[in-house]
Amino acid sequence: MATEKSKSTDQARVRATALRQAKDIEDRKKLQTRIADLVVEAFDLPSRSDADPANPDPADASLFRHCLSLFQASDLDDLIYERNVDNRCGYALCSRPNQKLAHGGEKVWNRKGGKDFKLINRTELEKWCSKSCQERTAFVRAQLGKEPAWLRIIRAVDIKLLDELDADSLTKSFKTLAIAKADDDEMAGKMQALALERGELDVKSDDSSVNVMERSTDMIPEAPTLQGGHREGVVEGHAPRKVHFSGK
């Protein structure tokens, strides 16, 4: 009797586990389908052909934020790719075409010199119409969820757009993004560079003074001499080996 009861309990537990897993899979499929639909909705943005990404239509901006709230970086990449195939800027609120570089190579100069000189992929630059839209996309990308939406405790992420923030709000946003702790080091570097370029991040500097003391002496400097005095056959301090050749 006890054995039958234990067996029945085990079967009930297995059945409950199977039902829970089936429900999780079903919820995941529904959410994946919803995210795919959001990519399509963002693809159709903006609603006007003369839309300005620096001053987007409020309804377009609201829809774009809603789409991004469930996106991962890979979903944003899918959106950018689809828009580029349609010869449009990868930033969803921009109505302009993406730029086409005349340079035929895979690598192009980043138009910077010195320590900032870098060769970058031509395809990366051709995703956008301008550097401004590239920065706008980098700003929203840094806010996207790291995990798939179906694994998050809070599925929707509150996304802010770069052009909707004033100087004070922008400063707070850069600080709260925890740029230095981002998993993507390259993206973290881009966001830090963007923050510094806009003057929104404080750069810590050492303001402590350094005392420089000049020593005085009455000694007259002398020309250096070789140790051991002058040596014959020495050329600039080097004594060549003496090699003897035997005659034929």
Side-chain angles (χ1 to χ4, degrees), residues 51-62:
D52 181 7
N55 186 26
D57 181 82
D60 290 349
S62 178

Side-chain angles (χ1 to χ4, degrees), residues 165-176 199-202:
L165 303 178
D166 54 26
D168 293 336
S169 299
L170 186 60
T171 302
K172 293 178 182 178
S173 296
F174 277 124
K175 291 180 179 179
T176 56
E200 303 299 343
L201 286 183
D202 295 329

Side-chain angles (χ1 to χ4, degrees), residues 8-144:
S8 177
T9 302
D10 291 342
Q11 290 177 346
R13 184 167 59 251
V14 170
R15 184 174 181 276
T17 301
L19 289 174
R20 184 172 63 253
Q21 291 179 345
K23 185 178 183 303
D24 291 342
I25 294 174
E26 184 65 22
D27 290 343
R28 174 177 175 174
K29 288 182 178 180
K30 289 181 179 179
L31 197 52
Q32 286 176 322
T33 301
R34 177 55 182 155
I35 291 174
D37 292 339
L38 291 176
V39 171
V40 175
E41 292 182 30
F43 172 84
D44 293 331
L45 291 174
S47 57
R48 292 166 42 198
S49 59
D50 60 345
D52 181 7
N55 186 26
D57 181 82
D60 290 349
S62 178
L63 175 57
F64 187 40
R65 285 195 303 269
H66 174 64
C67 295
L68 292 171
S69 66
L70 295 178
F71 278 8
Q72 284 183 276
S74 58
D75 302 316
L76 181 60
D77 289 335
D78 290 341
L79 172 62
I80 294 171
Y81 174 79
E82 294 296 336
R83 290 178 62 88
N84 290 161
V85 171
D86 196 40
N87 296 319
R88 290 190 291 159
C89 176
Y91 186 63
L93 296 178
C94 180
S95 59
R96 294 187 286 265
N98 57 320
Q99 58 183 331
K100 300 293 184 181
L101 302 180
H103 191 283
E106 294 183 359
K107 299 287 186 178
V108 294
W109 174 40
N110 65 342
R111 300 182 183 277
K112 295 182 180 180
K115 63 181 181 64
D116 295 325
F117 172 83
K118 189 178 181 181
L119 292 177
I120 55 181
N121 290 330
R122 179 172 60 88
T123 54
E124 182 66 22
L125 288 180
E126 291 185 340
K127 292 179 180 180
W128 332 100
C129 68
S130 63
K131 183 180 178 181
S132 297
C133 279
Q134 184 177 8
E135 291 176 351
R136 293 182 179 105
T137 306
F139 185 75
V140 297
R141 182 189 293 274
Q143 303 173 66
L144 298 180

